[in-house]
Amino acid sequence: MELLKKKVKALQNFFQMKYIYYISGNYLSNKFIKKGGRVIPYKNTIWELKNSSKIILEGKLVLNACKLKKSKAEMLLKIGENSILDIKGNFSFYYNCDISIFDDGILTLGSGYANYGVQIRCSNSITIGHKVAIANNVVIMDSDFHDIIYSDGSKSSKQSPVVIGDRVWIGRESIILKGVTIGDGAVIGARSVVTKDVPANCIVVGNPARVIKKNAKWIP
């Protein structure tokens, strides 16, 4: 009984328990590496954590946030085998976000937020910096997830890391594709499709995204 009380107290200190609705996996396993951080999963947060997955907490991770009262909206978080979710700062995912880290993938989050409906698909490496604002229904992917075969028999590169710098603002319904680095202070216009690197302190728009203004900045 005493051991059970200690376990319950440890869980209460680690999570804000009243918000948990359903999480798969063993809370007391070595999945969580706590370095001063914590997790706040609001009601209807659904996790799937594999045996060898890891969550490193240096900051606060908030899941399924900013719902209307009585809303049943969910947030999905899937972390595959030998995969890592590394939280460097305070980061919030709003309701209806869908985050998948596939086997051997690493998703690193600084600080900021992802608004409702954001999808992240990480099979290799995605790094998001500090003070980043991701608007609703944005998609970030570091892989095509399927091979493209050309007429000479060669194949496309299937996956390549994505790096998003500090103080980046990504407009609604934009798509960030594999191999892209977005420089500090950049602004991605709504519904842009980013297929190549974006310089720091500029504004890009369009499909494919192109620079329309340089030496610009925004205040997070």
Side-chain angles (χ1 to χ4, degrees), residues 2-17 20 27-28 32 34 37-39:
E2 188 63 29
L3 179 60
L4 178 60
K5 288 181 179 179
K6 288 182 179 180
K7 288 182 177 181
V8 170
K9 186 170 181 59
L11 288 175
Q12 290 173 335
N13 290 335
F14 192 77
F15 298 100
Q16 291 199 2
M17 295 299 289
I20 290 180
Y27 300 142
L28 299 177
F32 296 96
K34 191 175 180 184
R38 58 177 175 153
V39 182

Side-chain angles (χ1 to χ4, degrees), residues 101-116:
I101 309 171
F102 296 95
D103 293 352
D104 303 310
I106 302 174
L107 174 58
T108 303
L109 301 175
S111 60
Y113 68 90
N115 211 321
Y116 68 87

Side-chain angles (χ1 to χ4, degrees), residues 77-118:
L77 175 61
K78 179 179 180 180
I79 307 179
E81 297 287 2
N82 301 310
S83 296
I84 297 172
L85 174 57
D86 190 357
I87 311 300
K88 300 290 188 184
N90 296 335
F91 199 95
S92 296
F93 286 105
Y94 291 13
Y95 59 95
N96 287 336
C97 286
D98 184 354
I99 313 302
S100 291
I101 309 171
F102 296 95
D103 293 352
D104 303 310
I106 302 174
L107 174 58
T108 303
L109 301 175
S111 60
Y113 68 90
N115 211 321
Y116 68 87
V118 167

Side-chain angles (χ1 to χ4, degrees), residues 64-173:
N64 210 20
C66 296
K67 295 189 296 183
L68 294 175
K69 190 175 182 180
K70 298 184 180 181
S71 170
K72 296 181 179 179
E74 297 177 344
M75 185 202 152
L76 309 178
L77 175 61
K78 179 179 180 180
I79 307 179
E81 297 287 2
N82 301 310
S83 296
I84 297 172
L85 174 57
D86 190 357
I87 311 300
K88 300 290 188 184
N90 296 335
F91 199 95
S92 296
F93 286 105
Y94 291 13
Y95 59 95
N96 287 336
C97 286
D98 184 354
I99 313 302
S100 291
I101 309 171
F102 296 95
D103 293 352
D104 303 310
I106 302 174
L107 174 58
T108 303
L109 301 175
S111 60
Y113 68 90
N115 211 321
Y116 68 87
V118 167
Q119 295 183 34
I120 296 178
R121 298 288 182 268
C122 177
S123 66
N124 180 282
S125 172
I126 296 176
T127 301
I128 298 175
H130 290 278
K131 297 183 178 180
V132 173
I134 304 175
N136 57 291
N137 298 319
V138 166
V139 176
I140 303 173
M141 305 171 62
D142 67 356
S143 175
D144 293 331
F145 296 99
H146 300 281
D147 288 324
I148 298 175
I149 302 175
Y150 302 109
S151 59
D152 61 0
S154 62
K155 295 181 179 180
S156 65
S157 173
K158 197 171 180 180
Q159 59 185 26
S160 187
V162 171
V163 178
I164 298 170
D166 298 336
R167 304 180 311 282
V168 171
W169 177 10
I170 303 177
R172 65 178 298 172
E173 298 180 11

Side-chain angles (χ1 to χ4, degrees), residues 19 21 42-46 64 67 71-75:
Y19 296 131
Y21 177 62
Y42 284 83
K43 187 176 180 180
N44 295 346
T45 297
I46 299 177
N64 210 20
K67 295 189 296 183
S71 170
K72 296 181 179 179
E74 297 177 344
M75 185 202 152

